[in-house]
Amino acid sequence: MVHYGHSNQLRQARAMGDYLIVGVHTDDDITLTVDGHDTYEEVKQAGRYRECKRTQGVSTTDLVGRMLLVTKAHHSSQELSSEYREYADSFGKCPGGRNPWTGVSQFLQTSQKIIQFASGKEPQPGETVIYVAGAFDLFHIGHVDFLEKVHGLTDRPYIIAGLHFDQEVNHYKGKNYPIMNLHERTLSVLACRYVSEVVIGAPYAVTAELLGHFKVDLVCHGKTEIMPDRDGSDPYQEPKRRGIFRQVDSGSDLTTDLIVQRIIKNRLEYEARNQKKEAKELAFLEAMRRQEVQPSGENSCDF
């Protein structure tokens, strides 16, 4: 599962150019083979290994836990429930205790994180401003395929993605959606090469004011069902009235719902894998600790 933390890693790796062949990883993850050896040992010996730090704040373990617990504690402006706090302290933990890699992390949004991901470019003369809106939850290949298709509609596209508030997404998606909160979804979408700008907390209805403010030339939506607004109206009625609305088929069948269903179906297998992974990491940490500790003992003298 690729989230914005992984996207930042890939961005750093791409900037390294041809020097980096393989072995892109993060220094806050341990990767070992089944026999306990460093996965990247040969790559390191060849001098082609570099580590790219992942953006801190969310882990794949955390996202999977949100799907399994079906709580809303991760939504913006939501207090952490006692159930979620208990989960955060125990999910996937092996009997030996918790390690800093497999455990659950908590996301803290900062302006610097947004700047790190944002392009910082404004639309230029001759560019077509295209507006897309949605949840973009668990940003996946289906979203990327859609944005790529939208990007190819014109010669010089400038795509603005409107991300709905957590409460709005939960209203039309139900259950405990979105799995990723607004801040996390913002960084995920900003990391996509096809997106130039993100509206954080966009209104559900694409209004005349929004179209005028961003000088939108075209509004696109995928083939997924368009849920009516709270008053029963079509959220895209204004762009449709202007004749600037277009539906775009991504060509992908993958959806956020399908990903969640897969995770829930394989819950027991995932938890067992996570516990095995943590046990291996803890064993590695203990071995490293023992190597660092010099043998101590009293010097014996013969009289």
Side-chain angles (χ1 to χ4, degrees):
M1 186 185 304
V2 178
H3 49 74
Y4 65 86
H6 299 131
S7 299
N8 191 36
Q9 278 183 277
L10 295 175
R11 182 190 299 247
Q12 294 177 60
R14 188 166 60 243
M16 292 181 181
D18 295 334
Y19 182 81
L20 179 67
I21 306 301
V22 292
V24 180
H25 211 259
T26 171
D27 57 4
D28 57 5
D29 282 318
I30 295 178
T31 55
L32 304 174
T33 60
V34 291
D35 56 358
H37 289 91
D38 185 350
T39 306
Y40 294 101
E41 182 177 357
E42 293 185 12
V43 180
K44 290 177 179 178
Q45 291 177 352
R48 295 190 179 277
Y49 179 85
R50 292 293 181 274
E51 290 179 340
C52 302
K53 281 193 68 65
R54 186 172 63 191
T55 302
Q56 297 178 348
V58 70
S59 68
T60 303
T61 305
D62 196 1
L63 296 179
V64 171
R66 297 176 188 180
M67 302 177 208
L68 299 180
L69 282 178
V70 197
T71 67
K72 302 179 184 179
H74 55 280
H75 291 176
S76 300
S77 303
Q78 292 281 344
E79 293 293 331
L80 294 182
S81 64
S82 57
E83 178 187 13
Y84 190 81
R85 290 183 186 278
E86 181 181 355
Y87 147 75
D89 288 336
S90 63
F91 181 74
K93 188 195 314 186
C94 68
R98 184 177 179 180
N99 78 72
W101 290 276
T102 312
V104 176
S105 55
Q106 295 299 320
F107 175 81
L108 294 175
Q109 179 69 289
T110 67
S111 59
Q112 286 300 317
K113 284 183 180 177
I114 295 178
I115 293 172
Q116 182 182 10
F117 283 77
S119 68
K121 299 179 181 178
E122 295 184 355
Q124 301 299 310
E127 290 184 330
T128 302
V129 178
I130 307 176
Y131 182 76
V132 298
F136 292 98
D137 196 15
L138 296 179
F139 196 70
H140 52 72
I141 190 62
H143 296 131
V144 176
D145 287 343
F146 166 71
L147 292 169
E148 183 180 17
K149 292 288 181 63
V150 171
H151 192 270
L153 292 177
T154 65
D155 294 332
R156 298 181 60 194
Y158 184 94
I159 299 178
I160 301 175
L163 270 62
H164 302 143
F165 282 111
D166 296 341
Q167 291 73 19
E168 193 68 61
V169 175
N170 186 252
H171 174 73
Y172 64 78
K173 289 278 292 182
K175 299 180 182 177
N176 70 323
Y177 289 108
I179 303 301
M180 299 177 74
N181 65 44
L182 178 59
H183 301 309
E184 295 163 348
R185 291 184 284 121
T186 295
L187 296 190
S188 294
V189 176
L190 276 175
C192 180
R193 61 181 299 183
Y194 304 115
V195 175
S196 301
E197 182 65 284
V198 167
V199 181
I200 305 173
Y204 186 62
V206 183
T207 63
E209 290 76 15
L210 184 148
L211 296 175
H213 178 80
F214 293 107
K215 298 180 174 58
V216 176
D217 300 305
L218 184 65
V219 176
C220 295
H221 189 274
K223 291 295 184 178
T224 56
E225 181 183 4
I226 300 175
M227 301 300 294
D229 205 347
R230 293 175 185 269
D231 60 1
S233 62
D234 182 353
Y236 290 96
Q237 61 182 1
E238 181 60 26
K240 287 179 179 179
R241 185 186 68 80
R242 298 189 185 193
I244 61 172
F245 177 81
R246 185 180 301 184
Q247 278 196 305
V248 177
D249 187 356
S250 69
S252 174
D253 295 328
L254 185 63
T255 64
T256 301
D257 289 335
L258 182 58
I259 293 175
V260 173
Q261 290 170 14
R262 289 177 182 175
I263 295 295
I264 293 176
K265 180 180 179 181
N266 296 288
R267 172 175 185 167
L268 295 179
E269 179 182 346
Y270 174 83
E271 289 184 342
R273 182 207 65 84
N274 207 49
Q275 291 179 3
K276 183 178 180 181
K277 178 173 180 278
E278 184 169 14
K280 182 174 65 175
E281 292 169 351
L282 286 170
F284 176 80
L285 289 173
E286 178 62 20
M288 291 294 293
R289 187 188 67 80
R290 290 177 179 176
Q291 289 181 4
E292 293 173 356
V293 176
Q294 295 296 327
S296 60
E298 296 180 2
N299 294 329
S300 60
C301 298
D302 294 330
F303 293 98

